[in-house]
Amino acid sequence: MTLLRSWLDSANSPDTDFPLANLPYGVFSVGEGDLRCGVAIGERILDATGLEAAGILRADPDADVLDVPYWNDFMELGPKAWDRYRKALGALLAEGADETLRDACMTYSVPMAEADLHMPFRVSEYTDFYAGKQHAQNVGEMFRGKENALPPNWLSIPIGYNGRASSVVVSGTDVTRPWGQLKSPDEALPRFAPCARFDMELELGAIVGTPSHGMVSVAQADEMIFGFVLLNDWSARDIQAWEYQPLGPFQAKATATTISPWIVTRAALEPFRTPTPPRDRALLPYLDEPRAMNFDIDLSVTLAPAGGQETTICRTNARELYYSSAQQLCHHTTSGCPMRVGDLLGSGTITGAAKEARGSLLELSWGGAEPITLAGGQRRSFLEDGDRLTLYGAAQGAGYRIGFGACSGTVLPAPADPMA
């Protein structure tokens, strides 16, 4: 697929995250103005709420669905409505569009540089998976040795845990270092202290756009996914090490989960489908994929210390996921667990085979034994106060890219002792 040209010049740049082929959905405000639904196009944000109110572009002819500061009501219209709206948006913005419509788009749009971005949807529930094989292998090797790195069930089942929807925040939100109960192997008793091994995890988040009641197939699960965001699963490794047995992560994963502000639709990513990796052993038939279910999305992470230069610390690709988002969602429904519009599924850390493709500091520093060096000479095993982490992602086409925008968060110091 080649570049679809727009009459808006900034949407035709090969460097923009937001060409006509993307059209991701978000929520924005300008100054003290109201929060509004918007669509990113080049260097501008199209005011979808304003276009609906003016009768220029409506997703539902009978009701307003974009008069609220989230895209959940739009998602509830279902895939046929999603497709119609996307095609209508494309017609408004495509090269050769009517001059009157161009004028309306300029009236109902703002420069992206002047806008503040907000949570693009209401998170109903949040589940985080562990679907990156190389990440699971690395973590297991660090803690259990190479021969026992993968748990016995890992090659058969998409492992996950139920997280906190309340933890999910939009890019740009500061993240405060958590307190927790810690115990190192050489300590006789646990202690209560700020996390000293605070980490990030590079993930992709899938957003459920249609509900389910009962089990769905992998193909049905794929159709249920509205779109994707970048996701940083902030992790307190020392809290996690003490608490995770026997029921898995709890407080170690409850501090914050940062997502990118633009929902890149599944439709925009269709040209970039790619198969999941070869299987080490056959999956049970209910997890069989009828077609390619992963996506070829280049991913990277930068770290900038307070007042310091940004350094790229990781480059990897979403095609590394052993279980696709559709397989994760299918498995999630096998117990009869209902899925809701706005459910968020984290993929788990996306790590490749090379050292520079490791999607967490735990792996990059190999548990702290091999600190990484940043521009300017600072070294990191885990995050320090003032560090800013930024995730980037884009699928690369012929002369264009389908990007997500930045997914950033800055670490703030732990608060004063809450028990003092």
Side-chain angles (χ1 to χ4, degrees):
M1 182 176 175
T2 56
L3 174 70
L4 298 176
R5 297 193 64 83
S6 169
W7 53 262
L8 188 66
D9 287 341
S10 63
N12 300 325
S13 167
D15 299 323
T16 183
D17 273 349
F18 309 122
L20 185 59
N22 193 349
L23 302 179
Y25 302 133
V27 170
F28 74 100
S29 63
V30 177
E32 299 300 318
D34 294 337
L35 275 62
R36 308 174 73 80
C37 291
V39 180
I41 177 71
E43 296 176 355
R44 298 187 72 82
I45 300 175
L46 197 64
D47 181 358
T49 299
L51 289 171
E52 179 184 68
I56 298 169
L57 180 61
R58 301 184 62 84
D60 185 338
D62 301 317
D64 290 341
V65 296
L66 300 177
D67 58 345
V68 289
Y70 43 79
W71 284 83
N72 297 59
D73 291 0
F74 174 82
M75 286 189 260
E76 289 179 357
L77 298 177
K80 290 183 179 178
W82 306 345
D83 185 56
R84 285 195 303 269
Y85 189 76
R86 179 175 168 79
K87 288 178 180 176
L89 270 175
L92 275 181
L93 295 164
E95 196 172 55
D98 180 86
E99 192 70 34
T100 303
L101 294 179
R102 294 190 192 192
D103 290 343
C105 288
M106 292 305 293
T107 299
Y108 291 99
S109 67
V110 299
M112 192 172 294
E114 296 178 7
D116 295 314
L117 301 178
H118 306 273
M119 280 290 295
F121 69 105
R122 291 186 304 180
V123 181
S124 298
E125 307 281 355
Y126 168 50
T127 304
D128 197 27
F129 283 87
Y130 192 46
K133 182 187 174 189
Q134 192 62 54
H135 172 68
Q137 179 74 33
N138 288 345
V139 173
E141 187 173 335
M142 273 185 263
F143 295 106
R144 293 185 297 274
K146 195 167 187 177
E147 297 305 315
N148 299 303
L150 289 179
N153 60 355
W154 200 93
L155 293 173
S156 295
I157 186 172
I159 296 172
Y161 67 91
N162 290 315
R164 293 282 299 175
S166 62
S167 76
V168 182
V169 297
V170 74
S171 174
T173 306
D174 293 335
V175 176
T176 301
R177 183 180 298 274
W179 284 76
Q181 193 174 127
L182 318 175
K183 181 186 176 301
S184 63
D186 58 351
E187 290 178 306
L189 295 172
R191 56 195 167 85
F192 188 64
C195 168
R197 293 164 68 89
F198 202 37
D199 199 1
M200 51 73 62
E201 290 189 292
L202 168 60
E203 303 191 20
L204 198 63
I207 301 164
V208 176
T210 56
S212 68
H213 304 279
M215 182 179 172
V216 302
S217 68
V218 173
Q220 290 169 325
D222 184 58
E223 292 297 317
M224 289 170 60
I225 295 173
F226 177 66
F228 297 86
V229 290
L230 302 177
L231 187 150
N232 183 354
D233 175 26
W234 302 88
S235 301
R237 299 300 187 186
D238 41 7
I239 297 173
Q240 183 178 0
W242 173 234
E243 75 174 5
Y244 84 100
Q245 293 180 330
L247 295 180
F250 182 36
Q251 293 299 82
K253 300 284 191 170
T255 299
T257 304
T258 302
I259 64 169
S260 51
W262 296 106
I263 302 171
V264 175
T265 63
R266 176 171 51 83
L269 292 171
E270 282 295 329
F272 304 97
R273 284 186 179 269
T274 190
T276 43
R279 303 298 173 189
D280 288 25
R281 64 172 178 245
L283 297 176
L284 294 178
Y286 79 93
L287 286 172
D288 286 346
E289 296 171 297
R291 61 172 178 150
M293 292 291 186
N294 264 357
F295 296 95
D296 182 1
I297 304 170
D298 291 325
L299 302 165
S300 63
V301 181
T302 66
L303 192 159
Q309 183 179 341
E310 188 176 62
T311 303
T312 299
I313 61 173
C314 168
R315 294 187 188 276
T316 185
N317 191 288
R319 62 174 172 257
E320 297 286 351
L321 288 169
Y322 193 82
Y323 297 102
S324 67
S325 295
Q327 287 175 310
Q328 294 167 38
L329 179 52
C330 163
H331 181 71
H332 207 329
T333 68
T334 54
S335 64
C337 172
M339 304 305 295
R340 300 175 180 173
V341 172
D343 280 354
L344 175 64
L345 307 183
S347 64
T349 306
I350 303 172
T351 288
K355 182 174 182 179
E356 61 271 17
R358 297 173 182 173
S360 68
L361 280 166
L362 177 67
E363 296 168 89
L364 286 164
S365 72
W366 206 251
E370 303 170 7
I372 62 172
T373 302
L374 307 178
Q378 292 193 43
R379 289 163 69 78
R380 287 290 184 278
S381 293
F382 295 95
L383 296 171
E384 295 187 6
D385 296 343
D387 285 352
R388 184 179 76 253
L389 264 295
T390 305
L391 279 54
Y392 298 97
Q396 187 63 55
Y400 74 101
R401 48 190 277 132
I402 303 296
F404 289 77
C407 178
S408 295
T410 299
V411 179
L412 300 184
D417 187 345
M419 304 305 294

